[in-house]
Amino acid sequence: MYFRQFSIAAFVSVIASGVWYYRGTPVQQGDPANSPTSAPKLQPSAESLKDPPWPARRSGKVFPYPDFTGPPVDDESFYERDLATSGPITKSAEVQSNPQHSMLTPEEATQKLRRLDESYQVKRGRGVLRYDVVQLPSNNPIEDDHAEKLVQTSKFLSGPGDDATSDWMFWSVFDGHAGWTTSAKLRQVLISFVARQLHLIYMGAKGSSPNLSPGPLPSSAQIDAAIKLGFLKCDHEIVHESILKAQKANTKSAAANLLSPALSGSCALLSFYDSRTKDLRVACTGDSRAVLGRRGADGVWTAQPLSEDQTGGTPSEMARLRVEHPGEPNVVAHGRILGGLEPSRAFGDASYKWSRDVQEMVKKNWFGRTPVALLKTPPYVTAEPIVTTTKMMPEKGDFVVLATDGLWEMLTNEEVVGLVGKWLEHNPLNSSTAVTSRSSTWTQSLLGGRGSGKSRTETSLPVTRPQSESGKGGQRDTIRQQQWNIQGGDERFVVEDKNAATHLVRNALGGRDRDMVCGLLTLPSPYSRRDDLTVEVIFFGEEEEKPGGDVVPNIEASAPGLAKPKL
């Protein structure tokens, strides 16, 4: 393996070891299924993308946050206009030392599956026990990416009469396309862009109190709007500020550095959890997906989608685009934007956002493609996410799966949740995630589980199946199951991995059918018949609170040398 470097303008991470966040009153939902929040749609202008004045900004003075677990953040750092630096964005790439195409053995296939898996134990007793991550490239280098961050907040973030601290935990996956640079950029900067907007709106709600005492908090709609604005400002920097900087530099090499993240594209799925409120917010731009697994009293799990796929084939997205671009019948053609791009929301993808004049200028002065003939009223693609809020139940042993669309092309929501439930039977994390009694659980579920209408066997996944197609929650079909002619039911699945994310990927590629697993892993890029895969599994549960606890690598579920100590 080597590190392929592409010297492009990378953003400074505004937050070095941590940042201040806020919490708010969650959206109350009567239906267990999540729906997008009802906050008004953002209509950003160039002026609105500038940082507003803030009365508590005091000539760069660092506010005294005595309970902050990391180095203090100078408030001026939230207002730096130039967020670019010359540091390169890197991406690991696989070197084919033996170019001949020989069939992988099952042992070699397992090594390849586990080469990029990581697992971390969260020893803080604040609702999260562990999270597992894995990546499996199809492209070389992989066009997916991911980022995680945990921050302990100050008592100052509490509401009136409340002086407890909180953990804010962020997880994100990025599904790149037409190159790897956009997703790599998002890995470096998106959480920080969102953090800055949260900081602004939180401090705005607090006002300029000199003693920084707990006070009013932003509303749930304001929090969602801040997250959306963080996404939009990040994309504005990638797509539009890069043009201004390239014009100022006036060299082709600078243009190559600056414009690469704009010319490629990436979907983004970001979630964060507030340990005090137990609220999990999921912000989705594109067709990556988040799904919640929640267990009932009988040990059977239910799958609850926390996001909706946003593509040219999604009815709500098709309707939105046709309203925004009247008189353009081909704004969506064959389930794709202008007949080309499948995600209807994404970062980068400047060819769907720049005007025709700008695209012609880029092509003439530097390099680029001829604008598509259907381009009339850009932008056609937006980075604005849809945000949902869910109240987590650590006492029930909830878990959440975040994954790029490569996983969802091969497994349904219910299969993914059932597979993690089956994995937990073999790998209990603690008493809140363990199956109390396998025999009693299966005795109950032999009666059919919750609404399944069928008896279960030892090979069945412990999950409730939807009764009709309407239960799919707007999600797309598992096209790879059809393409690969996958037969059989739950008996095709196995439990062989200590990392839950790796466990999902193995079963997505064939599970018990080792010949298929080996075959799909043998085919190299660009011939592999699958997408890049990035999967995160976050486990919630109850443990005694441990102030100052760490996030530590779980060695037995991580590739050697890959997982690093955090916090």
Side-chain angles (χ1 to χ4, degrees):
M1 178 184 297
Y2 68 97
F3 281 94
R4 177 182 179 186
Q5 295 193 354
F6 195 92
S7 179
I8 68 179
F11 293 111
V12 172
S13 177
V14 177
I15 314 330
S17 301
V19 69
W20 301 105
Y21 298 94
Y22 59 78
R23 62 177 178 83
T25 303
V27 176
Q28 299 298 323
Q29 300 174 351
D31 190 316
N34 287 286
S35 59
T37 57
S38 58
K41 177 177 172 57
L42 297 176
Q43 298 291 343
S45 62
E47 188 66 25
S48 71
L49 291 172
K50 296 180 180 179
D51 289 322
W54 178 42
R57 179 181 174 187
R58 303 176 181 177
S59 302
K61 179 180 177 181
V62 179
F63 284 154
Y65 297 131
D67 299 306
F68 186 42
T69 59
V73 178
D74 188 327
D75 290 290
E76 288 294 311
S77 68
F78 287 97
Y79 297 89
E80 294 294 336
R81 294 307 307 155
D82 185 5
L83 296 177
T85 182
S86 59
I89 286 179
T90 62
K91 176 78 73 169
S92 60
E94 186 176 8
V95 177
Q96 293 289 338
S97 57
N98 183 4
Q100 68 180 15
H101 291 175
S102 58
M103 186 74 168
L104 294 179
T105 66
E107 293 74 20
E108 291 170 334
T110 292
Q111 291 176 6
K112 189 168 185 177
L113 281 170
R114 297 176 180 175
R115 187 172 65 88
L116 296 176
D117 60 5
E118 306 172 54
S119 178
Y120 297 91
Q121 295 172 333
V122 185
K123 296 181 175 295
R124 298 180 63 77
R126 292 191 167 186
V128 177
L129 301 177
R130 165 176 165 171
Y131 63 91
D132 291 2
V133 187
V134 74
Q135 290 192 290
L136 181 66
S138 177
N139 297 291
N140 189 18
I142 187 173
E143 295 182 347
D144 284 3
D145 225 311
H146 65 93
E148 300 80 33
K149 186 181 291 289
L150 186 152
V151 179
Q152 178 176 301
T153 66
S154 168
K155 296 176 182 179
F156 176 56
L157 296 182
S158 305
D162 188 353
D163 63 355
T165 63
S166 174
D167 278 358
W168 288 85
M169 307 182 194
F170 287 76
W171 303 271
S172 53
V173 296
F174 310 116
D175 184 1
H177 47 263
W180 55 269
T181 54
T182 312
S183 62
K185 175 85 78 170
L186 295 178
R187 180 239 306 159
Q188 289 189 339
V189 304
L190 181 59
I191 291 176
S192 293
F193 266 84
V194 171
R196 186 159 76 165
Q197 296 311 307
L198 293 175
H199 179 270
L200 280 169
I201 198 168
Y202 176 78
M203 295 305 297
K206 292 287 187 181
S208 56
S209 172
N211 59 3
L212 300 176
S213 59
L217 297 170
S219 68
S220 182
Q222 287 176 316
I223 294 173
D224 292 349
I227 295 170
K228 293 179 181 182
L229 190 56
F231 272 54
L232 289 170
K233 293 184 97 171
C234 181
D235 191 56
H236 181 80
E237 187 82 16
I238 291 171
V239 174
H240 299 295
E241 292 295 327
S242 60
I243 286 285
L244 300 178
K245 292 172 183 175
Q247 287 178 317
K248 183 177 180 179
N250 197 30
T251 66
K252 285 184 168 56
S253 59
N257 292 341
L258 292 163
L259 299 181
S260 291
L263 295 172
S264 60
S266 180
C267 302
L269 182 68
L270 180 146
S271 68
F272 73 94
Y273 174 70
D274 177 2
S275 65
R276 290 189 65 259
T277 65
K278 299 183 180 179
D279 289 334
L280 181 79
R281 277 184 167 81
V282 173
C284 180
T285 291
D287 58 3
S288 297
R289 191 184 307 172
V291 174
L292 165 69
R294 178 165 290 167
R295 186 174 55 196
D298 59 357
V300 181
W301 298 83
T302 58
Q304 179 178 330
L306 305 183
S307 62
E308 182 180 56
D309 302 347
Q310 302 159 3
T311 72
T314 305
S316 59
E317 290 294 282
M318 293 170 65
R320 175 181 65 83
L321 286 163
R322 290 188 170 124
V323 168
E324 293 177 356
H325 302 276
E328 297 185 55
N330 292 314
V331 64
V332 178
H334 311 295
R336 294 175 177 269
I337 313 305
L338 301 184
L341 182 68
E342 187 171 22
S344 54
R345 301 182 187 229
F347 287 83
D349 288 317
S351 60
Y352 294 89
K353 298 174 182 177
W354 285 337
S355 68
R356 184 175 294 274
D357 289 343
V358 169
Q359 294 192 47
E360 293 287 2
M361 181 270 292
V362 170
K363 180 182 178 182
K364 177 181 178 181
N365 293 341
W366 303 308
F367 38 74
R369 297 179 179 178
T370 300
V372 297
L374 295 173
L375 187 79
K376 295 180 180 179
T377 58
Y380 294 93
V381 175
T382 178
E384 180 182 344
I386 293 177
V387 182
T388 63
T389 302
T390 303
K391 183 71 70 176
M392 302 304 292
M393 297 183 180
E395 69 277 9
K396 287 183 174 289
D398 286 354
F399 63 82
V400 171
V401 178
L402 310 177
T404 54
D405 68 328
L407 182 74
W408 309 109
E409 290 178 348
M410 297 183 280
L411 295 172
T412 66
N413 294 351
E414 289 71 31
E415 287 172 338
V416 165
V417 168
L419 280 165
V420 177
K422 176 75 78 173
W423 182 90
L424 282 168
E425 293 176 3
H426 294 78
N427 302 274
L429 307 182
N430 70 1
S431 59
S432 65
T433 63
V435 176
T436 54
S437 170
R438 181 175 174 84
S439 59
S440 64
T441 296
W442 286 105
T443 298
Q444 294 178 38
S445 55
L446 281 172
L447 300 177
R450 291 161 41 181
S452 68
K454 298 180 181 179
S455 63
R456 299 184 185 274
T457 67
E458 287 290 325
T459 60
S460 297
L461 297 180
V463 65
T464 300
R465 308 283 184 169
Q467 297 298 300
S468 64
E469 287 294 305
S470 61
K472 291 175 59 177
Q475 315 298 356
R476 293 175 294 168
D477 292 330
T478 50
I479 58 174
R480 300 299 181 189
Q481 288 191 16
Q482 304 168 22
Q483 176 183 344
W484 299 336
N485 193 30
I486 293 178
Q487 303 293 326
D490 293 350
E491 64 273 8
R492 73 182 191 270
F493 299 127
V494 294
V495 180
E496 297 182 359
D497 301 284
K498 290 296 185 180
N499 184 299
T502 306
H503 164 71
L504 288 175
V505 172
R506 178 188 296 278
N507 283 286
L509 297 178
R512 196 176 300 278
D513 186 348
R514 294 193 173 189
D515 183 57
M516 176 169 284
V517 173
C518 292
L520 290 173
L521 290 175
T522 295
L523 289 171
S525 173
Y527 308 108
S528 46
R529 301 176 62 199
R530 56 178 174 80
D531 199 357
D532 292 328
L533 289 165
T534 299
V535 181
E536 298 203 9
V537 185
I538 306 146
F539 294 99
F540 296 80
E542 292 186 320
E543 281 187 336
E544 182 181 353
E545 185 164 348
K546 303 171 184 175
D550 292 332
V551 179
V552 298
N554 178 18
I555 301 301
E556 71 169 358
S558 301
L562 193 60
K564 306 293 183 183
K566 299 195 174 186
L567 193 64

